[in-house]
Coordinates of all heavy atoms in Angstrom, one line a residue:
M1 N 60.0 180.3 -172.3 CA 60.2 179.3 -173.3 C 58.8 178.9 -174.0 O 57.8 178.8 -173.3 CB 60.8 178.0 -172.7 CG 61.2 177.0 -173.7 SD 61.9 175.5 -172.9 CE 62.6 174.7 -174.3
E2 N 58.9 178.7 -175.3 CA 57.6 178.6 -176.0 C 56.8 177.3 -175.6 O 55.6 177.3 -175.7 CB 57.8 178.6 -177.5 CG 58.6 177.4 -178.0 CD 58.9 177.6 -179.5 OE1 59.4 178.6 -179.9 OE2 58.7 176.6 -180.2
N3 N 57.5 176.3 -175.1 CA 56.8 175.1 -174.7 C 56.2 175.1 -173.3 O 55.6 174.2 -172.9 CB 57.7 173.8 -174.9 CG 57.9 173.5 -176.4 OD1 57.1 173.8 -177.2 ND2 59.1 173.0 -176.7
N4 N 56.5 176.2 -172.6 CA 56.0 176.3 -171.2 C 54.5 176.7 -171.3 O 54.0 177.3 -172.3 CB 56.8 177.3 -170.4 CG 58.2 176.8 -170.0 OD1 58.5 175.6 -170.4 ND2 58.9 177.5 -169.3
T5 N 53.8 176.4 -170.2 CA 52.4 176.8 -170.1 C 52.1 177.2 -168.7 O 52.9 177.1 -167.8 CB 51.5 175.6 -170.5 OG1 50.2 176.0 -170.6 CG2 51.7 174.4 -169.6
R6 N 50.9 177.7 -168.5 CA 50.5 178.0 -167.1 C 50.1 176.7 -166.4 O 49.4 175.8 -167.0 CB 49.3 178.9 -167.1 CG 49.5 180.3 -167.6 CD 48.3 181.1 -167.7 NE 47.7 181.6 -166.5 CZ 47.9 182.8 -166.0 NH1 48.6 183.7 -166.6 NH2 47.4 183.1 -164.8
G7 N 50.6 176.5 -165.2 CA 50.2 175.3 -164.4 C 49.0 175.5 -163.6 O 48.5 174.6 -162.9
G8 N 48.5 176.7 -163.5 CA 47.4 177.1 -162.7 C 47.2 178.6 -162.7 O 48.0 179.3 -163.3
D9 N 46.2 179.0 -162.0 CA 45.9 180.5 -162.0 C 46.0 181.1 -160.7 O 45.8 182.3 -160.6 CB 44.5 180.7 -162.6 CG 44.4 180.4 -164.1 OD1 45.3 180.6 -164.8 OD2 43.4 179.8 -164.5
T10 N 46.3 180.3 -159.7 CA 46.5 180.8 -158.3 C 47.7 180.1 -157.7 O 48.0 179.0 -158.1 CB 45.3 180.6 -157.5 OG1 44.9 179.3 -157.5 CG2 44.1 181.5 -158.0
P11 N 48.3 180.7 -156.7 CA 49.4 180.0 -156.0 C 48.9 178.9 -155.2 O 47.7 178.9 -154.9 CB 50.1 181.1 -155.2 CG 49.0 182.1 -154.9 CD 48.1 182.1 -156.2
I12 N 49.8 178.0 -154.8 CA 49.4 176.9 -153.9 C 50.2 177.1 -152.5 O 51.4 177.3 -152.5 CB 49.7 175.5 -154.5 CG1 48.9 175.3 -155.7 CG2 49.5 174.4 -153.5 CD1 49.1 174.0 -156.5
K13 N 49.4 177.0 -151.5 CA 50.0 177.2 -150.1 C 50.7 175.9 -149.8 O 50.1 174.8 -149.8 CB 48.8 177.4 -149.1 CG 49.3 177.7 -147.7 CD 48.1 177.9 -146.8 CE 48.5 178.2 -145.4 NZ 47.3 178.3 -144.5
C14 N 52.0 176.0 -149.4 CA 52.8 174.8 -149.1 C 53.5 175.0 -147.8 O 54.0 176.1 -147.5 CB 53.9 174.6 -150.2 SG 53.2 174.3 -151.8
E15 N 53.5 173.9 -147.0 CA 54.3 173.9 -145.8 C 55.7 173.3 -146.1 O 55.8 172.2 -146.5 CB 53.6 173.0 -144.7 CG 52.2 173.3 -144.5 CD 51.9 174.6 -143.8 OE1 52.9 175.1 -143.2 OE2 50.8 175.1 -143.9
L16 N 56.7 174.2 -146.1 CA 58.0 173.8 -146.5 C 58.9 173.5 -145.3 O 58.9 174.2 -144.3 CB 58.7 174.9 -147.3 CG 57.9 175.3 -148.6 CD1 58.6 176.5 -149.2 CD2 57.8 174.1 -149.6
E17 N 59.7 172.4 -145.4 CA 60.6 172.0 -144.3 C 62.0 172.6 -144.5 O 62.5 172.6 -145.7 CB 60.7 170.5 -144.2 CG 59.4 169.8 -143.7 CD 59.5 168.3 -143.8 OE1 60.6 167.8 -143.5 OE2 58.5 167.6 -144.2
A18 N 62.6 173.0 -143.5 CA 64.0 173.5 -143.5 C 64.9 172.5 -144.2 O 64.9 171.3 -143.9 CB 64.5 173.9 -142.2
N19 N 65.8 173.0 -145.0 CA 67.0 172.3 -145.5 C 66.6 171.0 -146.3 O 67.3 170.1 -146.4 CB 67.9 171.9 -144.4 CG 68.4 173.1 -143.6 OD1 68.8 174.1 -144.2 ND2 68.4 173.0 -142.3
K20 N 65.4 171.0 -146.9 CA 65.0 170.0 -147.8 C 64.9 170.5 -149.2 O 64.6 171.7 -149.4 CB 63.6 169.5 -147.3 CG 63.0 168.3 -148.1 CD 61.7 167.9 -147.5 CE 61.0 166.9 -148.5 NZ 59.6 166.6 -148.0
N21 N 65.4 169.7 -150.2 CA 65.4 170.2 -151.5 C 64.0 170.0 -152.2 O 63.5 168.9 -152.1 CB 66.4 169.5 -152.4 CG 67.8 170.0 -152.1 OD1 68.0 171.2 -151.6 ND2 68.8 169.3 -152.4
Y22 N 63.5 171.0 -152.8 CA 62.2 170.9 -153.5 C 62.5 171.3 -155.0 O 63.3 172.1 -155.3 CB 61.2 171.9 -152.9 CG 60.8 171.6 -151.5 CD1 61.4 172.3 -150.4 CD2 59.7 170.7 -151.3 CE1 61.0 172.0 -149.1 CE2 59.3 170.4 -150.0 CZ 60.0 171.1 -148.9 OH 59.6 170.8 -147.6
A23 N 61.7 170.6 -155.8 CA 61.9 170.9 -157.3 C 60.6 171.6 -157.8 O 59.6 170.9 -158.0 CB 62.1 169.6 -158.0
W24 N 60.7 172.9 -157.9 CA 59.6 173.7 -158.3 C 59.4 173.5 -159.9 O 60.4 173.7 -160.6 CB 59.8 175.1 -158.0 CG 58.7 176.1 -158.4 CD1 57.4 176.1 -157.9 CD2 58.8 177.1 -159.4 NE1 56.8 177.1 -158.6 CE2 57.6 177.8 -159.5 CE3 59.9 177.5 -160.2 CZ2 57.3 178.8 -160.3 CZ3 59.6 178.6 -161.0 CH2 58.4 179.2 -161.1
C25 N 58.2 173.3 -160.3 CA 58.0 173.2 -161.8 C 58.1 174.6 -162.4 O 57.3 175.5 -161.9 CB 56.6 172.6 -162.0 SG 56.0 172.6 -163.7
T26 N 58.9 174.7 -163.4 CA 59.0 176.0 -164.1 C 58.2 176.0 -165.4 O 58.0 177.1 -165.9 CB 60.5 176.3 -164.5 OG1 60.9 175.3 -165.4 CG2 61.4 176.3 -163.3
C27 N 57.8 174.8 -165.8 CA 57.3 174.7 -167.2 C 55.8 174.7 -167.2 O 55.2 175.0 -168.3 CB 57.8 173.4 -167.8 SG 57.0 171.9 -167.3
G28 N 55.1 174.4 -166.1 CA 53.6 174.4 -166.1 C 53.0 173.1 -166.5 O 51.8 173.0 -166.3
H29 N 53.7 172.2 -166.9 CA 53.1 170.9 -167.4 C 52.9 169.9 -166.3 O 52.2 168.9 -166.5 CB 54.0 170.3 -168.5 CG 54.0 171.1 -169.8 ND1 53.0 171.0 -170.7 CD2 54.9 172.0 -170.3 CE1 53.2 171.8 -171.7 NE2 54.4 172.4 -171.5
S30 N 53.5 170.0 -165.2 CA 53.4 169.0 -164.1 C 51.9 168.9 -163.6 O 51.2 169.9 -163.5 CB 54.3 169.4 -162.9 OG 54.0 168.6 -161.8
G31 N 51.5 167.7 -163.4 CA 50.2 167.4 -162.8 C 50.3 167.4 -161.3 O 49.3 167.1 -160.6
D32 N 51.4 167.8 -160.8 CA 51.7 167.8 -159.3 C 52.1 169.1 -158.9 O 53.0 169.3 -158.1 CB 52.7 166.7 -159.0 CG 52.9 166.5 -157.5 OD1 52.0 166.7 -156.8 OD2 54.0 166.1 -157.1
Q33 N 51.4 170.2 -159.4 CA 51.8 171.6 -159.1 C 51.7 171.8 -157.6 O 50.9 171.3 -156.9 CB 50.8 172.5 -159.8 CG 50.9 172.5 -161.3 CD 52.2 173.1 -161.8 OE1 52.8 173.9 -161.1 NE2 52.6 172.5 -162.9
P34 N 52.7 172.7 -157.1 CA 53.6 173.5 -157.9 C 55.0 172.8 -158.2 O 55.9 173.4 -158.6 CB 53.9 174.7 -156.9 CG 53.8 174.0 -155.6 CD 52.7 173.0 -155.7
F35 N 55.0 171.5 -157.9 CA 56.3 170.7 -158.0 C 56.4 170.0 -159.3 O 55.4 169.6 -160.0 CB 56.4 169.8 -156.8 CG 56.4 170.5 -155.5 CD1 55.3 170.4 -154.7 CD2 57.4 171.3 -155.1 CE1 55.3 171.1 -153.5 CE2 57.4 172.0 -153.9 CZ 56.3 171.9 -153.1
C36 N 57.7 169.7 -159.7 CA 58.0 169.0 -161.0 C 57.6 167.5 -160.8 O 57.9 166.9 -159.8 CB 59.5 169.1 -161.2 SG 60.1 168.2 -162.6
N37 N 57.0 167.0 -161.9 CA 56.8 165.5 -161.9 C 57.5 164.9 -163.1 O 57.2 163.8 -163.5 CB 55.3 165.2 -161.9 CG 54.6 165.5 -163.2 OD1 55.2 166.2 -164.0 ND2 53.3 165.1 -163.3
G38 N 58.4 165.6 -163.8 CA 59.1 165.1 -164.9 C 58.5 165.3 -166.2 O 59.1 165.0 -167.3
S39 N 57.3 165.9 -166.2 CA 56.5 166.1 -167.5 C 57.2 167.1 -168.5 O 56.9 167.1 -169.7 CB 55.1 166.7 -167.2 OG 54.4 165.8 -166.5
H40 N 58.2 167.9 -167.9 CA 58.9 168.9 -168.8 C 59.7 168.1 -169.9 O 59.9 168.7 -171.0 CB 59.8 169.8 -168.0 CG 60.9 169.0 -167.3 ND1 60.7 168.6 -166.0 CD2 62.1 168.6 -167.6 CE1 61.8 168.0 -165.6 NE2 62.7 168.0 -166.5
R41 N 60.1 166.9 -169.6 CA 60.9 166.2 -170.6 C 60.1 165.9 -171.9 O 60.5 166.2 -173.0 CB 61.4 164.9 -170.0 CG 62.4 165.1 -169.0 CD 63.1 163.9 -168.5 NE 63.7 164.0 -167.2 CZ 63.1 163.6 -166.1 NH1 62.0 163.0 -166.1 NH2 63.6 163.8 -164.9
A42 N 58.9 165.3 -171.7 CA 58.1 165.0 -172.9 C 57.6 166.2 -173.6 O 57.4 166.3 -174.8 CB 56.9 164.1 -172.4
A43 N 57.4 167.3 -172.8 CA 56.9 168.6 -173.3 C 58.0 169.4 -174.0 O 57.7 170.4 -174.6 CB 56.2 169.4 -172.2
K44 N 59.3 168.9 -173.8 CA 60.4 169.7 -174.3 C 60.3 171.2 -173.7 O 60.5 172.1 -174.5 CB 60.5 169.7 -175.8 CG 60.7 168.3 -176.4 CD 61.0 168.4 -177.9 CE 61.5 167.1 -178.5 NZ 61.1 165.8 -177.8
A45 N 60.1 171.2 -172.5 CA 60.0 172.5 -171.8 C 61.1 172.7 -170.8 O 62.0 171.8 -170.7 CB 58.6 172.6 -171.1
T46 N 61.1 173.8 -170.0 CA 62.2 174.1 -169.1 C 62.1 173.1 -167.9 O 61.1 172.8 -167.4 CB 62.1 175.5 -168.6 OG1 60.8 175.7 -168.0 CG2 62.3 176.5 -169.8
P47 N 63.3 172.7 -167.4 CA 63.4 171.8 -166.3 C 63.1 172.5 -164.9 O 63.0 173.7 -164.9 CB 64.9 171.3 -166.3 CG 65.6 172.4 -166.9 CD 64.7 173.1 -168.0
S48 N 63.0 171.7 -163.9 CA 62.6 172.2 -162.6 C 63.7 173.1 -162.0 O 64.9 173.1 -162.5 CB 62.4 171.1 -161.6 OG 63.7 170.4 -161.4
M49 N 63.3 173.9 -161.0 CA 64.2 174.8 -160.3 C 64.3 174.2 -158.9 O 63.3 174.2 -158.2 CB 63.7 176.2 -160.3 CG 64.7 177.2 -159.6 SD 64.0 178.8 -159.3 CE 63.4 178.5 -157.6
V50 N 65.4 173.7 -158.5 CA 65.6 173.2 -157.1 C 65.8 174.3 -156.1 O 66.6 175.2 -156.4 CB 66.7 172.1 -157.1 CG1 66.9 171.6 -155.6 CG2 66.4 171.0 -158.0
F51 N 65.1 174.3 -155.0 CA 65.3 175.3 -154.0 C 65.1 174.7 -152.6 O 64.6 173.6 -152.5 CB 64.4 176.5 -154.2 CG 62.9 176.2 -153.8 CD1 62.4 176.6 -152.6 CD2 62.1 175.4 -154.6 CE1 61.1 176.3 -152.2 CE2 60.8 175.2 -154.2 CZ 60.3 175.6 -153.0
S52 N 65.5 175.4 -151.6 CA 65.3 175.0 -150.2 C 65.1 176.2 -149.4 O 65.3 177.3 -149.8 CB 66.5 174.1 -149.7 OG 67.7 174.9 -149.7
V53 N 64.6 176.0 -148.2 CA 64.4 177.1 -147.2 C 65.2 176.9 -146.0 O 65.5 175.7 -145.6 CB 62.9 177.3 -146.9 CG1 62.2 177.8 -148.2 CG2 62.3 176.1 -146.3
E54 N 65.6 177.9 -145.2 CA 66.5 177.8 -144.1 C 65.7 177.5 -142.8 O 66.2 176.9 -141.8 CB 67.3 179.0 -143.9 CG 68.3 179.2 -145.0 CD 69.2 180.5 -144.8 OE1 69.0 181.2 -143.8 OE2 70.1 180.7 -145.6
E55 N 64.4 177.8 -142.8 CA 63.5 177.5 -141.7 C 62.2 177.0 -142.1 O 61.8 177.3 -143.3 CB 63.2 178.8 -140.9 CG 64.5 179.5 -140.3 CD 64.1 180.8 -139.6 OE1 62.9 181.2 -139.6 OE2 65.0 181.3 -139.0
D56 N 61.6 176.1 -141.3 CA 60.2 175.6 -141.7 C 59.4 176.9 -142.0 O 59.4 177.8 -141.2 CB 59.6 174.8 -140.5 CG 60.3 173.5 -140.4 OD1 61.2 173.2 -141.1 OD2 59.8 172.7 -139.5
T57 N 58.6 176.8 -143.0 CA 57.9 178.0 -143.4 C 56.6 177.7 -144.2 O 56.6 176.6 -144.9 CB 58.7 179.0 -144.2 OG1 58.0 180.3 -144.3 CG2 59.1 178.5 -145.5
T58 N 55.7 178.5 -144.2 CA 54.5 178.4 -145.1 C 54.7 179.4 -146.3 O 55.0 180.5 -146.1 CB 53.2 178.8 -144.4 OG1 53.1 177.9 -143.2 CG2 52.0 178.6 -145.3
A59 N 54.6 178.8 -147.5 CA 54.9 179.7 -148.7 C 53.8 179.5 -149.7 O 53.2 178.4 -149.8 CB 56.2 179.4 -149.3
Y60 N 53.5 180.5 -150.5 CA 52.6 180.4 -151.6 C 53.4 180.3 -152.9 O 54.1 181.3 -153.3 CB 51.7 181.7 -151.6 CG 50.7 181.7 -150.5 CD1 51.1 182.1 -149.2 CD2 49.4 181.1 -150.6 CE1 50.2 182.0 -148.1 CE2 48.6 181.1 -149.6 CZ 48.9 181.5 -148.3 OH 48.1 181.4 -147.3
L61 N 53.4 179.1 -153.4 CA 54.3 178.9 -154.6 C 53.5 179.1 -155.9 O 52.3 178.7 -156.0 CB 54.8 177.4 -154.5 CG 55.7 177.1 -153.3 CD1 56.3 175.7 -153.5 CD2 56.8 178.2 -153.1
C62 N 54.2 179.7 -156.8 CA 53.6 180.1 -158.1 C 53.2 178.9 -159.0 O 54.0 177.9 -159.1 CB 54.6 181.0 -158.9 SG 54.2 181.3 -160.6
T63 N 52.1 178.9 -159.6 CA 51.7 177.9 -160.6 C 51.5 178.5 -162.0 O 51.6 177.7 -162.9 CB 50.3 177.2 -160.2 OG1 49.3 178.2 -160.3 CG2 50.4 176.6 -158.8
C64 N 51.4 179.8 -162.1 CA 51.2 180.4 -163.4 C 52.5 180.5 -164.2 O 52.5 180.7 -165.4 CB 50.5 181.7 -163.3 SG 51.5 183.1 -162.8
K65 N 53.6 180.4 -163.4 CA 55.0 180.5 -164.0 C 55.3 181.8 -164.5 O 56.3 182.0 -165.3 CB 55.2 179.4 -165.0 CG 54.7 178.0 -164.6 CD 55.2 177.5 -163.2 CE 54.6 176.2 -162.8 NZ 54.9 175.9 -161.4
Q66 N 54.5 182.9 -164.2 CA 54.8 184.2 -164.7 C 55.6 185.0 -163.6 O 56.0 186.2 -163.8 CB 53.5 185.0 -165.0 CG 52.6 184.2 -166.0 CD 53.3 183.9 -167.3 OE1 53.9 184.8 -167.9 NE2 53.3 182.7 -167.7
T67 N 55.7 184.5 -162.4 CA 56.4 185.2 -161.3 C 57.8 185.7 -161.6 O 58.5 185.0 -162.3 CB 56.4 184.4 -160.0 OG1 57.0 185.2 -159.0 CG2 57.2 183.1 -160.2
K68 N 58.1 186.9 -161.1 CA 59.5 187.4 -161.3 C 60.3 187.0 -160.0 O 61.5 187.4 -160.0 CB 59.4 188.9 -161.4 CG 58.7 189.4 -162.7 CD 59.4 189.1 -164.0 CE 58.7 189.7 -165.2 NZ 57.5 189.0 -165.5
N69 N 59.7 186.3 -159.1 CA 60.4 185.9 -157.9 C 60.2 184.4 -157.6 O 59.6 184.0 -156.6 CB 59.8 186.8 -156.7 CG 60.5 186.5 -155.4 OD1 61.7 186.2 -155.4 ND2 59.8 186.5 -154.3
P70 N 60.6 183.6 -158.6 CA 60.4 182.1 -158.4 C 61.1 181.6 -157.2 O 62.2 182.0 -156.9 CB 60.9 181.6 -159.7 CG 61.9 182.6 -160.2 CD 61.4 183.9 -159.8
P71 N 60.5 180.6 -156.5 CA 59.3 179.9 -156.8 C 58.0 180.5 -156.2 O 57.0 179.9 -156.2 CB 59.5 178.5 -156.2 CG 60.3 178.8 -154.9 CD 61.2 180.0 -155.3
Y72 N 58.2 181.7 -155.7 CA 57.1 182.3 -154.9 C 56.2 183.2 -155.8 O 56.6 183.8 -156.7 CB 57.7 183.2 -153.8 CG 58.6 182.4 -152.9 CD1 60.0 182.6 -153.1 CD2 58.2 181.5 -152.0 CE1 60.9 181.9 -152.3 CE2 59.0 180.7 -151.3 CZ 60.4 180.9 -151.4 OH 61.3 180.2 -150.6
C73 N 54.9 183.1 -155.4 CA 53.9 184.0 -156.1 C 54.2 185.5 -155.9 O 54.5 185.9 -154.8 CB 52.5 183.7 -155.5 SG 51.2 184.8 -156.2
D74 N 54.2 186.2 -156.9 CA 54.4 187.7 -156.8 C 53.2 188.4 -157.3 O 53.2 189.6 -157.5 CB 55.6 188.2 -157.5 CG 55.5 188.1 -159.0 OD1 54.6 187.6 -159.5 OD2 56.5 188.7 -159.7
G75 N 52.1 187.7 -157.5 CA 50.8 188.3 -158.0 C 50.7 188.4 -159.5 O 49.7 189.0 -160.0
S76 N 51.7 187.9 -160.2 CA 51.7 188.1 -161.7 C 50.5 187.3 -162.4 O 50.2 187.5 -163.5 CB 53.0 187.6 -162.3 OG 54.1 188.4 -161.9
H77 N 49.9 186.4 -161.7 CA 48.8 185.6 -162.3 C 47.6 186.4 -162.6 O 46.7 186.0 -163.4 CB 48.4 184.4 -161.4 CG 48.0 184.8 -160.0 ND1 48.9 185.0 -159.0 CD2 46.8 185.1 -159.5 CE1 48.3 185.4 -157.9 NE2 47.0 185.4 -158.1
K78 N 47.5 187.6 -161.9 CA 46.2 188.3 -162.1 C 46.2 189.0 -163.5 O 47.1 189.3 -164.0 CB 46.1 189.4 -161.0 CG 46.0 188.8 -159.6 CD 45.5 189.8 -158.6 CE 45.5 189.1 -157.2 NZ 46.7 189.4 -156.5
Ligands
LIG101 S1 57.3 169.1 -165.0 FE1 57.5 171.3 -165.1 S2 59.6 171.6 -164.6 FE2 59.3 169.4 -164.5

């Protein structure tokens, strides 16, 4: 989407808890990367993507928003 932007240039390591809903920022405007802080509304950009994991896990979440495997980094920032 044209109003989206890069939220960063590298993924952020996150400790994710099982069965908890997380709102990954898809638009890049959040100041709380990699998660949504509601900034997409003012920016008229894409809304968050809610996801959860089945087991406690450490994940590298995408901030550049170019990943083909959201919310996870796939190396597209390079
Ligand atoms: S601030 Fe980016 S999706 Fe909400």
Side-chain angles (χ1 to χ4, degrees):
M1 186 179 190
E2 65 185 48
N3 289 328
N4 286 4
T5 187
R6 291 173 76 99
D9 293 323
T10 55
I12 295 178
K13 184 181 181 183
C14 296
E15 308 293 338
L16 301 176
E17 291 175 36
N19 303 315
K20 183 177 168 183
N21 283 339
Y22 293 96
W24 179 69
C25 170
T26 66
C27 78
H29 290 280
S30 174
D32 188 25
Q33 292 296 328
F35 301 109
C36 174
N37 72 351
S39 295
H40 60 269
R41 293 189 201 97
K44 295 187 169 30
T46 55
S48 64
M49 186 191 93
V50 176
F51 75 101
S52 61
V53 294
E54 292 181 356
E55 297 178 354
D56 288 1
T57 188
T58 301
Y60 290 83
L61 300 187
C62 170
T63 65
C64 78
K65 314 308 175 188
Q66 307 301 308
T67 181
K68 299 290 186 290
N69 184 32
Y72 305 104
C73 174
D74 71 351
S76 293
H77 56 275
K78 296 197 183 93

